[in-house]
Amino acid sequence: KNLLEERFKANKTPSTDNCQQIAKEINENRKNKNKGKGGSTFSLTGKQIKFWFDHRRRIHNHGTYKPLKPGSRSMKKAGQKSGQGAMALSKSMKDDFRNGLQQLAAAGLPAHSPMSAGMAAAAAVSTAAAAGASGSGEASTSAPASDPLTSLPHWMHSFQLLPLMSTMKYATYTPGTVIIKNGELSDDLYFLLKGHVKVIDLNNNEIATLEQGSFFGEMGVIDKGPRTATVVAAAHCHAFVMSGEVARDMLMCEPSVSKDVVDQATSRLLDLLKAYETSPASRLIGTNILKYNVYKPGHVVIKEGEFTDDFYFLSKGSVAITKQGSVISKLSQGTFFGEMAALCTGARTTTVTCQEECEVFMLPGDILRMLSKDDPRLKNGLGETLRNVVFARAYDTMMALTDNAVRPTTADIAVSQTTMSADLKLALFQLLKCIHNVTVSI
């Protein structure tokens, strides 16, 4: 970004050859920085650099990347003199760009054109990147509060992801349109710019309503399996659509994006499993392998010395882990417990007590062992990560029983959702997805 800003100060209208030279310089810098680190590096082209300069020039001259209507330059200058600045837009323009779709309508391209989405997406990203590089808030103040880009995930404004964002297509959906159908094999990722959609499970129960700024379809991106729910447009919707292949490249490129997307996928999958477990139809069939329970503060979920092997997901609340009266650790929502006896049957080594109202999913230990053995991905991914957690928690238990005056920092890598590594989060999601697939197929 600093290099681009320096070139912009030197020459605001570079030639095509200059843009290609700048792209080559940036690519070489990235290659040198990533040497020895591994991972994938995305190369910029001269066309993308020229695109960035075009929009940076609009921001510099007019405070916005949007093309201006005929005669609006003089109107904008008059507005600046009266103290209104870039916000002095005509009433007709406000009507055209209401509800946060200014970046789409202003592109001047037909709604069905795939290129319009790529241009709008890349323009939005370049706007945010340029604002961050210059250190000023001009770009953010020129956008209205309803602009959906302000509510989209923050990582969509990353300049590093500009080449990927520019591949997105723009789509519109009328009310009642099925955007994603439960059971179909597709892996596109959707970013909702306007409107809202309903999420419906296989029992035709409405699970959630997603508003503008949300993204959905992430489970298909991660798992590449059948869709777990149906998504229906509840109003006129506008969205950016990213192909699953590009979305997976994005997850590999940015670890922070991967964690965010996997967190969202896990949370929504638990909501689906909860709805399925509590559905009257499912209770009547009685085939659910994942049980959902709500426990009050003080409830003992696991008691030291008892012979049980259930594995638990802590969806909400927090629990205390104790052994022989000594407090070992506190686990918060998004994590799990009971893995030691679930993997190797025997007496429970600790007591787990709810510190507040907790929502807990319980998976029988024999089911976990069966899934871990039969599913290659779970065997290689979940088995290894759970063993690491077991060793870390065993270490914490030993340290809690010593006479050391100062307790070391916990070795547990699964104290809460925020402390988990990307690999562990992905392994847990794959386990939940496998449980969902087994549940709905029974």
Side-chain angles (χ1 to χ4, degrees), residues 34-70:
N34 291 333
K35 187 176 295 183
K37 296 183 180 179
S40 57
T41 303
F42 296 94
S43 299
L44 293 174
T45 64
K47 185 176 180 180
Q48 290 169 326
I49 296 299
K50 184 178 185 303
F51 186 78
W52 184 90
F53 269 89
D54 290 343
H55 290 282
R56 183 66 181 88
R57 204 160 49 246
R58 283 180 181 154
I59 294 171
H60 177 78
N61 295 334
H62 311 294
T64 176
Y65 68 85
K66 309 176 188 69
L68 302 177
K69 287 188 174 182

Side-chain angles (χ1 to χ4, degrees), residues 267-285:
S267 176
R268 289 173 174 173
L269 191 52
L270 285 172
D271 287 341
L272 279 171
L273 291 167
K274 175 182 175 181
Y276 190 73
E277 158 69 3
T278 56
S279 169
S282 297
R283 286 187 177 277
L284 183 62
I285 299 173

Side-chain angles (χ1 to χ4, degrees), residues 207 218-219 223 226-229 262-276 290 315 361 428-437 440:
I207 304 302
E218 71 286 343
M219 294 187 202
D223 187 67
R227 293 293 192 177
T228 56
V262 173
D263 283 348
Q264 187 71 273
T266 302
S267 176
R268 289 173 174 173
L269 191 52
L270 285 172
D271 287 341
L272 279 171
L273 291 167
K274 175 182 175 181
Y276 190 73
L290 191 68
S315 177
F361 290 89
L428 283 178
F429 170 78
Q430 289 173 339
L431 173 60
L432 289 170
K433 187 64 162 51
C434 186
I435 292 171
H436 174 274
N437 293 343
V440 300

Side-chain angles (χ1 to χ4, degrees), residues 117-433:
M119 292 180 65
V125 175
S126 62
T127 300
S134 62
S136 67
E138 292 180 3
S140 60
T141 55
S142 65
S146 60
D147 192 338
L149 289 176
T150 62
S151 56
L152 285 172
H154 64 88
W155 36 263
M156 285 195 71
H157 304 290
S158 167
F159 188 83
Q160 176 73 14
L161 299 178
L162 174 60
L164 300 180
M165 294 298 171
S166 64
T167 66
M168 294 192 296
K169 297 181 180 180
Y170 169 55
T172 60
Y173 305 97
T174 56
T177 301
V178 176
I179 303 174
I180 294 177
K181 186 176 181 180
N182 181 40
E184 72 178 3
L185 290 173
S186 61
D187 59 358
D188 289 337
L189 182 62
Y190 298 81
F191 298 91
L192 190 58
L193 299 171
K194 179 185 178 183
H196 59 280
V197 298
K198 293 183 179 180
V199 183
I200 302 171
D201 70 359
L202 56 86
N203 289 324
N204 207 30
N205 297 318
E206 183 179 329
I207 304 302
T209 299
L210 305 181
E211 304 291 342
Q212 71 176 37
S214 304
F215 63 87
F216 57 92
E218 71 286 343
M219 294 187 202
V221 172
I222 300 170
D223 187 67
K224 294 190 288 186
R227 293 293 192 177
T228 56
T230 296
V231 179
V232 181
H236 287 281
C237 294
H238 301 253
F240 283 152
V241 185
M242 178 183 287
S243 71
E245 183 179 356
V246 173
R248 283 185 287 276
D249 286 342
M250 178 177 68
L251 300 188
M252 292 178 60
C253 178
E254 291 288 345
S256 61
V257 178
S258 178
K259 283 189 174 184
D260 190 16
V261 172
V262 173
D263 283 348
Q264 187 71 273
T266 302
S267 176
R268 289 173 174 173
L269 191 52
L270 285 172
D271 287 341
L272 279 171
L273 291 167
K274 175 182 175 181
Y276 190 73
E277 158 69 3
T278 56
S279 169
S282 297
R283 286 187 177 277
L284 183 62
I285 299 173
T287 57
N288 299 333
I289 62 175
L290 191 68
K291 304 298 181 182
Y292 168 78
N293 293 292
V294 179
Y295 298 128
K296 295 182 179 180
H299 177 81
V300 177
V301 184
I302 295 176
K303 187 175 181 180
E304 183 180 350
E306 68 181 2
F307 284 85
T308 58
D309 63 351
D310 297 326
F311 181 70
Y312 297 88
F313 297 94
L314 183 58
S315 177
K316 182 180 180 182
S318 60
V319 297
I321 312 298
T322 59
K323 183 176 180 65
Q324 299 176 9
S326 298
V327 177
I328 298 173
S329 64
K330 174 184 175 182
L331 304 182
S332 300
Q333 66 184 47
T335 187
F336 56 89
F337 54 90
E339 71 288 339
M340 292 187 185
L343 293 175
C344 302
T345 56
R348 294 291 191 178
T349 58
T350 57
T351 296
V352 180
T353 307
C354 297
Q355 293 192 315
E356 55 186 301
E357 184 174 273
C358 295
E359 294 183 11
V360 179
F361 290 89
M362 184 272 288
L363 178 70
D366 57 343
I367 300 293
L368 176 63
R369 291 189 292 274
M370 180 189 70
L371 294 176
S372 300
K373 180 181 179 181
D374 295 341
D375 191 302
R377 290 180 304 172
L378 295 181
K379 182 178 180 180
N380 298 329
L382 183 68
E384 181 65 28
T385 51
L386 283 183
R387 281 192 289 273
N388 292 337
V389 174
V390 168
F391 294 147
R393 289 179 173 176
Y395 174 82
D396 282 347
T397 300
M398 289 188 295
M399 295 305 301
L401 298 177
T402 63
D403 295 329
N404 292 342
V406 180
R407 287 285 307 281
T409 303
T410 177
D412 191 354
I413 58 175
V415 170
S416 67
Q417 190 179 45
T418 56
T419 65
M420 289 188 193
S421 66
D423 291 341
L424 179 54
K425 289 183 177 183
L426 181 58
L428 283 178
F429 170 78
Q430 289 173 339
L431 173 60
L432 289 170
K433 187 64 162 51

